[in-house]
Amino acid sequence: MSRPTPLRDVHESLGATLTDFAGWLMPLRYGSESAEHKAVREAAGLFDLSHMGEIFLTGPQAGQALDYALVGHLSALAPGRARYTMIVNERGGVLDDLIVYRLGDEEFMVVANASNYEKVGNELKNRTKTYDVVVEDRSDQYALIAVQGPRSQEILATLTDADLDGLKYYAGLPGLVDGRQALIARTGYTGEDGFELFVANQDAVPLWHALMAAGEPHGLRPAGLSSRDTLRLEAGMPLYGNELGEQLTPFDAGLGRVVKFDKPGDFVGRSALEAVKDDPPRRRLVGLVARGRRVPRHGYPVTENGVVVGEVTSGAPSQTLGKPIAMAYVDTGAGSGLAVDIRGSHEPMDLVELPFYRRNK
């Protein structure tokens, strides 16, 4: 049985197509996913992300505990700032990618993917037993609403007195939004400027309606999982289960920069990651743009001159480029004559650097 978010009735009233995602009943689209995608690129989109997990670490050693449990240097994070990081196993394989917010000197919030937050919470509890810290999974207490797109600040500013101009990318601050207490974070998963609002469950519905009303004159549309996926794909952002997984290290995904070997002390997976950090990569994550109209999808083989050299991890039609695009892992030496085997037909692809799309700042 799929679990509903606090906004389920709202989604149904808007005619959303609902689907199971990581055990949650989530809006796939409200009508045209291409229109939703376009709205986020040109104006703004409103997303229900209440399926994500929020795990809090509080106590005098919360920062040191996270330094040991995760690959990043979280104790160096200033209060009010956030950081993208990962939790890996002893072999260096990625258990999840995370955003960590430092809410105060002794308080951090770890945001985990919907499919992994219980696993992440358990790992954090097990890994931090010797530290003076309390780990609490408070996912049941929070709804998460994101407003994303070039007009998102203009829309949100009508509902809050918080200093949005001074709020940097990957930072957060507490504030009132439409009179309701929220953590306002300048983060997102679309490649656009935007905000993620962490609020109490009971505030989700009135806040959604307030944002919709404030955004209507600016072209705001509700947006579902389908457009969120094509937006993040254009922005070259990895998805756990596609570009990231337990059989892959951060270095495999081209994200070795998140591993901080210079932080004090040991961390889980350190020796395994140190052993491979200087190795020439066997494969690399690349972008592919189709020359034709057929769409490469997850799991399709990538070939070079007829020989399989990799596999597509994510693929979709790009609304922005007007062509099908894909991310794929390919052998390091591969690069010319690439194609994707789409049901027996080798469709030619152009190799490009990620991301496919970068917003004008």
Side-chain angles (χ1 to χ4, degrees):
M1 189 77 170
S2 300
R3 180 179 175 183
T5 77
L7 290 160
R8 174 184 177 170
D9 290 346
V10 172
H11 302 318
E12 289 182 338
S13 72
L14 291 169
T17 299
L18 298 174
T19 187
D20 177 83
F21 181 79
W24 290 81
L25 190 64
M26 297 295 293
L28 189 64
R29 68 181 70 83
Y30 297 86
S32 163
E33 58 198 55
S34 61
E36 294 168 23
H37 182 111
K38 185 178 179 183
V40 176
R41 288 281 179 254
E42 297 179 0
L46 194 62
F47 296 86
D48 177 10
L49 307 179
S50 303
H51 60 316
M52 302 292 280
E54 294 86 17
I55 302 153
F56 285 72
L57 286 86
T58 53
Q61 291 188 307
Q64 297 97 306
L66 283 170
D67 284 347
Y68 174 72
L70 309 179
V71 301
H73 190 182
L74 288 315
S75 64
L77 200 58
R81 298 308 303 266
R83 184 162 295 165
Y84 177 77
T85 188
M86 295 182 184
I87 182 169
V88 302
N89 58 29
E90 291 284 2
R91 302 181 303 281
V94 179
L95 295 175
D96 201 14
D97 61 334
L98 313 163
I99 296 180
V100 177
Y101 297 85
R102 187 165 198 168
L103 305 179
D105 289 338
E106 297 187 359
E107 185 176 25
F108 294 77
M109 178 175 70
V110 177
V111 178
N113 284 300
S115 56
N116 293 327
Y117 72 82
E118 290 182 353
K119 173 178 67 178
V120 170
N122 289 334
E123 283 292 332
L124 288 174
K125 287 175 183 176
N126 289 333
R127 295 180 185 193
T128 60
K129 285 178 179 176
T130 61
Y131 292 86
D132 189 0
V133 63
V134 175
V135 180
E136 293 179 284
D137 184 344
R138 301 183 195 168
S139 305
D140 289 345
Q141 301 174 31
Y142 285 91
L144 177 56
I145 298 172
V147 54
Q148 299 279 301
R151 305 197 76 175
S152 56
Q153 180 171 335
E154 195 176 351
I155 294 165
L156 187 58
T158 66
L159 297 173
T160 182
D161 292 330
D163 181 15
L164 301 182
D165 283 333
L167 188 62
K168 296 179 180 178
Y169 187 51
Y170 267 70
L173 81 170
L176 293 177
V177 182
D178 190 42
R180 292 164 177 84
Q181 189 64 47
L183 173 66
I184 306 167
R186 199 164 207 146
T187 45
Y189 194 51
T190 63
E192 297 296 340
D193 188 20
F195 301 87
E196 295 183 320
L197 309 173
F198 296 84
V199 298
N201 287 329
Q202 64 268 23
D203 291 331
V205 171
L207 182 57
W208 178 280
H209 289 313
L211 286 162
M212 286 292 292
E216 186 177 6
H218 303 284
L220 176 79
R221 295 181 71 115
L225 291 177
S226 288
S227 60
R228 189 166 182 253
D229 190 51
T230 54
L231 289 158
R232 71 91 194 165
L233 174 57
E234 288 184 348
M237 295 176 168
L239 175 66
Y240 191 87
N242 290 39
E243 288 75 39
L244 300 170
E246 291 193 42
Q247 305 309 312
L248 298 162
T249 72
F251 295 102
D252 290 323
L255 294 169
R257 65 182 180 276
V258 307
V259 183
K260 304 301 181 185
F261 293 110
D262 57 351
K263 63 180 174 178
D266 194 13
F267 63 89
V268 176
R270 177 175 195 138
S271 11
L273 291 172
E274 279 187 322
V276 300
K277 69 182 174 70
D278 296 322
D279 290 352
R282 295 174 291 110
R283 54 192 167 178
R284 57 192 176 120
L285 186 63
V286 300
L288 301 174
V289 178
R291 295 179 190 170
R293 307 308 302 171
R294 301 189 72 186
V295 180
R297 298 291 187 184
H298 173 78
Y300 286 7
V302 180
T303 64
E304 183 178 43
N305 301 319
V307 178
V308 175
V309 294
E311 186 175 290
V312 172
T313 54
S314 298
S318 167
Q319 301 293 329
T320 305
L321 275 65
K323 299 176 180 178
I325 60 173
M327 287 197 282
Y329 279 108
V330 299
D331 295 345
T332 297
S336 61
L338 291 181
V340 172
D341 183 348
I342 301 178
R343 299 187 184 90
S345 175
H346 289 238
E347 301 292 331
M349 300 281 154
D350 291 322
L351 181 70
V352 300
E353 290 297 317
L354 293 170
F356 301 98
Y357 166 83
R358 187 176 273 113
R359 70 182 173 94
N360 294 321
K361 296 186 180 179

